[in-house]
Amino acid sequence: MPICSRCAQENPEGAKFCNACGDALAEPVRAGEERRVVSILFVDLVGFTSRSEKLDPEDVRDFLLPYYERVRSELEGFGGRVEKFIGDAVMGVFGAPTAYGDDAERAVRAAFAVRDWAEADGIQLRIAVNTGEAIVELEARPEHGEALVAGDVVNTAARLQTAAPVGAVIVGEETYAGTRGSIEYRPAPPVVAKGKDAPVRAWLALRATSAVGERPVGGAPMIGRDRELSVLSGIWERVVDEGRAHFVTVFGPSGIGKSRIALELAQLVGGQGHRVIRGRSTPYGASSPYSAFGQQLKQVAGMFDSDHPGEAREKLTDSIAGLAGQAAAEEHAPHLAVLLGIEGDDDVADREQLFFSARVVVESLALAGPTLLLYEDIHWADESLLDLLETFGARVREAPVLFLALARPELLSERPGWGGGLPAYTALPLEPLTEDASRELARRLLGEASVEDQIAAVAGTGEGNPLFIEELSVSLTEKSTADVGVLPTSVKAIIAARLDSLPPDERSVLVDASAVGRVFWRGALAEIAPRDDLSALLGALEARDLIQREAVSRIKGDQQFGFKHGLIHDVAYGTLPRTARRSRHAAVARFLETATDAGQSHEALAHHWREAGESERAVEHLLAAAEQAGRGWAKERSVRLYGEALELVPEDDADRRRQIRMRQAVHLQALFQIPDARRLRPGEPD
């Protein structure tokens, strides 16, 4: 069943275009299994089993079918999939086969929607959401009875659901940790679950505390963005002084600080007494194709989503009359009502007229006083809104208005020419924080009492991404992550979403490369999976700033690349199940054996053969590497390598284990003698 890469709509087999958005459907490339972080949602009717005993089978069916369809509709509306119906229970999956980065939050919001609907209809439910790692069958067709996910995360979700109070939503620890910034919770008693060694920690989800797609700004001050903020404030000053419009797009991956720098500029503009109007594109739940501009228009007119159509029209007309005059209101209010999706008989002859009416509003606002129009997350925007924004950038000129758009780099994949040709346009990419800025942010988040090693570890692992540094700091502070190298689920989800946004062929190459290591070679990728367009795919990944070709290769005649971000490598590798890892590591080992001098690659070969499940071949290379290290007087390393070899030799092979221990002991003895030898050298201090 082809799934649209743009809107995630499922389409019938054989479809060439998406039935929902009309986008061309790519041929499916991803197949088999992957390890993924998913959120499981369980919904169960309370007391229906006992009631159904007294009902005719047709009555049971007539009740369950609409119930199933309503729950399915709510889950799919938030980007989830129904995995199965089990009696009167429904199991949904978020984060598979495609991750969006906020899958746990989507699952909880979907649970709220189901809860609220059931409460309004007098239906009693128990709902649970649990987040964790699962094995995902990418080609599974749940509607045909095929299982999509498997893992303890599913069993735990089912156990939590049985412990949920009637009419409540209960969540597990990972769901709570990943969504507490946008959902209000109350602690629930730990759940004693069958098969679990310890009670499962649980929380009751009460309500959403932020709008869809909105990430609350943390309490730490903005660090390391002085230059970028100076650029934005300079452009704003020019807009005010010259009375001319300007369009700026701030680009950067999730968590890099786009919303934070926009907030800083908005506070500066607001502090000067000027107008700031904000609109946001959302990944789901948008009320119209022009939602972000519609939000701005509603703010200006004082409109609410709950307004009756007649009341909404009156507010809209009065607002435009106040800005541009009664004649303008009579001409443009009907068009803008269409743009807002207000029910009525209005029609617009062409889109040009619709966009002109929107432009009149923007220019009237700016002429009344310098205005900042902020458009957040336009990488989720409908094509129609993007067209409208580019029209603003091209045609609104003699008015003091700054259009500020925030976007992830994926926008340029959909609109490569974004901003091109606009008369006053600036693209402002946000790069990762410097090492010093990362350390300072980590220090502020961890507290002044934190040790330098911990600060350095958080800053290094976060790779200059403020959100990642914040999530790592919170995990350490709350002891939910004992090791900085263990990524919080929230960070994994964001990176997985970035991987899933790639074209399937590019994603496949990146995942294959992760098995080679943070440094990899074109030849190794060709050994894993021959591809005619491999050079083009590598070039595309480099253009996306995910990998970088290195000037000098350690293998003569082969191209060497490196991952730009270690976290991308780690999450990509984490998607591979054991079988897929073994086959890829075996291919890499074969490549290294033919492309390199084994004497210089023993440790790498040992690593790949070990991960391929070829213990005997790994031991051979570990022993050779240990001897090589010993000859170079790297005795500590040789002792460690002998130890790794011992771990792979079966316990019943006593003779070989004894030989390895003897050789390890010789090097261990030499290791203890090295300090004495240094002290005996003439002219060297003790």
Side-chain angles (χ1 to χ4, degrees):
M1 179 171 291
I3 298 177
C4 179
S5 60
R6 175 169 177 78
C7 70
Q9 171 70 31
E10 292 182 355
N11 292 273
E13 292 184 19
K16 300 299 182 183
F17 297 91
C18 178
N19 285 347
C21 70
D23 215 33
L25 296 173
E27 289 294 323
V29 174
R30 294 165 57 200
E33 297 178 334
E34 281 190 353
R35 301 172 71 97
R36 304 181 70 90
V37 173
V38 299
S39 292
I40 304 297
L41 185 151
F42 262 101
V43 181
D44 192 26
L45 285 168
V46 176
F48 185 73
T49 301
S50 59
R51 292 202 308 273
S52 63
E53 291 179 353
K54 305 171 185 177
L55 297 175
D56 184 84
E58 292 189 32
D59 294 331
V60 173
R61 180 203 60 192
D62 291 344
F63 176 83
L64 286 179
L65 286 180
Y67 157 71
Y68 289 153
E69 286 307 310
R70 182 58 187 262
V71 174
R72 180 198 294 275
S73 174
E74 296 293 357
L75 267 59
E76 291 179 350
F78 287 86
R81 293 185 72 181
V82 170
E83 212 264 6
K84 64 182 72 171
F85 299 110
I86 315 167
D88 55 11
V90 181
M91 173 182 159
V93 181
F94 292 77
T98 301
Y100 296 100
D102 60 346
D103 302 290
E105 181 183 332
R106 288 169 178 250
V108 176
R109 289 182 184 271
F112 287 158
V114 172
R115 178 198 65 186
D116 295 345
W117 155 72
E119 183 178 344
D121 281 15
I123 299 173
Q124 292 187 321
L125 299 174
R126 289 190 180 93
I127 308 176
V129 180
N130 191 46
T131 302
E133 192 172 51
I135 193 75
V136 176
E137 176 57 57
L138 297 174
E139 294 180 303
R141 295 177 297 177
E143 67 279 4
H144 291 176
E146 299 171 0
L148 177 65
V149 298
D152 181 64
V153 62
V154 178
N155 301 328
T156 303
R159 299 287 185 267
L160 286 170
Q161 177 270 129
T162 61
V166 175
V169 178
I170 195 170
V171 307
E173 185 168 7
E174 290 292 344
T175 306
Y176 165 74
T179 62
R180 60 190 162 184
S182 54
I183 306 293
E184 180 183 343
Y185 287 101
R186 184 175 70 234
V191 175
V192 178
K194 183 180 178 180
K196 291 286 187 180
D197 294 334
V200 178
R201 299 180 68 191
W203 287 260
L204 292 177
L206 305 180
R207 65 183 183 89
T209 58
S210 63
V212 170
E214 182 174 342
R215 183 179 293 115
V217 176
M222 188 176 72
I223 293 173
R225 298 295 186 205
D226 293 342
R227 291 181 180 176
E228 292 89 343
L229 183 58
S230 177
V231 170
L232 290 175
S233 59
I235 292 173
W236 169 252
E237 290 173 6
R238 196 159 62 248
V239 166
V240 175
D241 293 343
E242 299 177 3
R244 296 180 62 83
H246 201 99
F247 201 116
V248 177
T249 307
V250 177
F251 286 103
S254 179
I256 203 67
K258 302 182 296 295
S259 295
R260 183 54 186 268
I261 199 169
L263 174 63
E264 296 288 333
L265 180 66
Q267 290 176 341
L268 183 151
V269 171
Q272 296 173 352
H274 299 306
R275 193 192 320 245
V276 178
I277 309 176
R278 176 182 169 214
R280 175 187 294 274
S281 297
T282 59
Y284 52 90
S287 57
S288 80
Y290 303 99
S291 180
F293 178 70
Q295 294 164 33
Q296 295 176 330
L297 198 53
K298 288 178 179 180
Q299 291 173 54
V300 171
M303 297 164 58
F304 299 96
D305 291 346
S306 57
D307 287 345
H308 185 274
E311 182 183 4
R313 287 172 176 278
E314 183 178 350
K315 288 182 177 180
L316 180 62
T317 302
D318 291 346
S319 174
I320 298 173
L323 286 170
Q326 188 61 41
E330 292 174 2
E331 178 181 354
H332 299 295
H335 301 158
L336 294 170
V338 172
L339 187 147
L340 288 172
I342 299 174
E343 293 182 8
D345 299 327
D346 300 311
D347 197 9
V348 183
D350 56 46
R351 195 172 73 162
E352 187 69 22
Q353 182 60 55
L354 189 71
F355 283 12
F356 178 70
S357 294
R359 173 184 159 192
V360 167
V361 172
V362 168
E363 290 177 334
S364 299
L365 279 169
L367 292 174
T371 302
L372 170 62
L373 294 180
L374 174 59
Y375 299 91
E376 299 188 61
D377 297 330
I378 64 168
H379 49 274
W380 282 324
D382 189 89
E383 290 287 337
S384 300
L385 177 66
L386 298 179
D387 292 342
L388 176 62
L389 295 184
E390 286 199 307
T391 298
F392 287 161
R395 300 183 184 179
V396 178
R397 301 193 182 187
E398 303 298 329
V401 56
L402 174 58
F403 302 98
L404 178 61
L406 313 181
R408 296 179 188 171
E410 295 92 277
L411 173 67
L412 296 177
S413 298
E414 296 290 331
R415 306 272 290 223
W418 175 255
L422 297 184
Y425 176 75
T426 300
L428 181 62
L430 292 187
E431 300 295 337
L433 297 178
T434 64
E435 182 178 350
D436 288 344
S438 295
R439 283 174 174 263
E440 178 60 23
L441 179 58
R443 181 177 289 106
R444 298 285 188 97
L445 292 168
L446 290 169
E448 294 298 333
S450 53
V451 297
E452 283 299 320
D453 287 349
Q454 197 176 56
I455 291 171
V458 168
T461 303
E463 295 185 336
N465 185 299
L467 176 62
F468 294 173
I469 294 172
E470 180 178 351
E471 293 290 329
L472 286 163
S473 300
V474 170
S475 294
L476 279 179
T477 301
E478 298 182 350
K479 307 299 182 185
S480 59
T481 299
D483 179 4
V484 179
V486 178
L487 295 179
T489 300
S490 56
V491 174
K492 289 182 184 177
I494 292 170
I495 297 172
R498 187 176 183 191
L499 292 176
D500 285 355
S501 71
L502 296 172
D505 284 336
E506 294 179 30
R507 185 185 187 279
S508 177
V509 169
L510 201 66
V511 171
D512 286 349
S514 71
V516 186
R518 295 197 178 184
V519 173
F520 60 93
W521 296 270
R522 187 186 188 283
L525 295 177
E527 181 70 27
I528 292 173
R531 297 176 174 90
D532 293 335
D533 56 349
L534 181 55
S535 294
L537 294 171
L538 289 169
L541 289 170
E542 187 169 18
R544 296 181 193 276
D545 202 36
L546 295 171
I547 65 173
Q548 183 175 32
R549 183 173 175 181
E550 299 183 354
V552 178
S553 175
R554 301 204 304 265
I555 299 178
K556 186 176 180 180
D558 204 345
Q559 299 171 8
Q560 179 171 309
F561 297 84
F563 277 84
K564 288 290 294 291
H565 310 285
L567 295 178
I568 293 285
H569 166 270
D570 296 347
V571 173
Y573 184 71
T575 65
L576 290 169
R578 287 194 295 262
T579 302
R581 290 183 186 184
R582 284 195 287 267
S583 65
R584 284 163 174 78
H585 281 293
V588 177
R590 292 193 299 269
F591 164 76
L592 291 175
E593 285 182 338
T594 59
T596 66
D597 174 18
Q600 300 181 52
S601 306
H602 282 307
E603 286 195 52
L605 283 163
H607 164 73
H608 288 292
W609 282 126
R610 176 172 52 206
E611 296 301 318
E614 298 280 354
S615 297
E616 180 57 36
R617 301 176 81 162
V619 168
E620 292 175 7
H621 287 290
L622 284 169
L623 295 177
E627 290 297 318
Q628 193 176 60
R631 288 194 297 271
W633 282 90
K635 300 298 184 182
E636 187 172 355
R637 190 180 190 87
S638 67
V639 169
R640 178 178 60 78
L641 291 168
Y642 280 126
E644 291 181 19
L646 278 171
E647 292 175 0
L648 298 178
V649 176
E651 291 289 340
D652 57 4
D653 194 348
D655 289 341
R656 194 172 193 198
R657 292 181 65 85
R658 184 169 55 254
Q659 292 172 7
I660 295 174
R661 283 201 182 96
M662 289 175 60
R663 290 155 76 177
Q664 185 185 39
V666 171
H667 288 267
L668 188 61
Q669 185 178 21
L671 176 63
F672 289 138
Q673 292 174 352
I674 288 175
D676 295 333
R678 285 176 178 162
R679 284 196 295 271
L680 293 174
R681 289 176 187 168
E684 289 193 6
D686 290 342

